[in-house]
C-alpha cells in the first residue's frame, strides 16, 4: 500500500501523478510511475516531486504523456523553464468551462483587434497609442491562455477518448 504523500503534496509533478493514479493504479507509487514512464528511476521522480532537482524538459513531456496531463508541460514552461517567461500555465478545469471561457473572450479579441487596426492605420505610434500597447498585449495573452485551455482539453480527450 502506498504511503500518503506529505512533503511533495504541493508539487505539480506529484499532483499530476496522483490524479492520474485514479485511472492507473501503478502511478500510486513513484516506482510504479517510473515503470510506466520508462527511462527514469523512482529515485529521480522522488527528487522531482520533492523539488530537489528540476526535471529536463523531455522528462516533463514523458510525465505529461504518462499522466495524461498536457497542462503539466505548460506549467513547466511557465514556472521552471528558463526560456518560458512568456508562457502561461493552464488551470485544471472541465472542457466545457474552457470552451465557455474561450467563447466569452471572443468579444475581447474583437475589441483588441479593432484597437490595433486603428493604432496601425498610419504606421506610427503616438504617445497615447504607446500607453495602450500593454493593455492590448494583456488582452491578447488572455485569449492565448484560453486557447491553450481548450488545446489541453482536446489533447486529454484524444488520449482518453472523452471530454472530462
Amino acid at each position: 500500500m502506498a504511503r500518503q504523500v506529505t512533503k511533495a503534496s504541493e508539487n505539480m509533478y506529484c499532483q499530476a501523478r496522483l490524479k492520474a493514479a485514479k485511472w492507473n493504479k501503478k502511478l500510486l507509487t513513484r516506482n510504479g510511475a517510473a515503470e510506466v514512464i520508462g527511462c527514469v528511476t523512482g529515485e529521480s521522480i522522488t527528487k522531482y516531486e520533492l523539488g530537489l532537482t528540476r526535471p529536463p524538459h523531455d522528462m516533463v513531456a514523458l510525465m505529461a504523456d504518462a499522466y495524461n496531463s498536457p497542462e503539466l508541460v505548460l506549467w513547466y514552461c511557465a514556472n521552471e523553464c528558463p526560456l518560458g517567461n512568456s508562457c502561461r500555465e493552464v488551470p485544471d478545469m472541465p472542457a466545457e468551462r474552457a470552451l465557455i471561457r474561450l467563447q466569452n473572450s471572443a468579444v475581447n479579441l474583437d475589441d483588441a483587434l479593432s484597437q490595433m487596426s486603428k493604432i496601425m492605420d498610419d504606421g506610427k505610434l503616438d504617445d497615447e497609442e504607446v500607453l495602450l500597447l500593454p493593455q492590448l498585449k494583456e488582452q491578447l495573452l488572455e485569449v492565448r491562455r484560453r486557447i491553450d485551455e481548450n488545446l489541453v482539453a482536446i489533447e486529454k480527450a484524444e488520449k482518453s477518448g472523452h471530454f472530462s
Side-chain angles (χ1 to χ4, degrees), residues 81-143:
C81 176
L83 301 176
N85 62 0
S86 66
C87 295
R88 304 293 186 267
E89 63 184 284
V90 173
D92 189 27
M93 69 180 70
E96 296 82 12
R97 182 165 176 244
L99 178 60
I100 291 167
R101 286 170 51 88
L102 180 58
Q103 288 173 326
N104 290 340
S105 69
V107 172
N108 293 338
L109 178 60
D110 286 342
D111 181 49
L113 294 175
S114 176
Q115 284 185 325
M116 284 179 60
S117 67
K118 288 176 185 174
I119 290 172
M120 293 177 174
D121 187 45
D122 64 0
K124 299 174 186 164
L125 286 173
D126 63 34
D127 292 341
E128 188 177 309
E129 292 170 337
V130 168
L131 294 175
L132 287 175
L133 293 180
Q135 176 189 348
L136 287 171
K137 181 179 178 181
E138 187 52 42
Q139 284 178 299
L140 293 174
L141 286 171
E142 184 60 29
V143 171

Side-chain angles (χ1 to χ4, degrees), residues 12 54 73-82 84 87-89:
M12 285 297 293
R54 181 179 294 159
V73 172
L74 295 170
W75 179 88
Y76 171 83
C77 290
N79 294 284
E80 294 198 346
C81 176
C87 295
R88 304 293 186 267
E89 63 184 284

Side-chain angles (χ1 to χ4, degrees), residues 39-51:
C39 73
V40 68
T41 65
E43 184 179 336
S44 292
I45 292 177
T46 299
K47 289 178 181 178
Y48 303 151
E49 291 185 2
L50 292 176

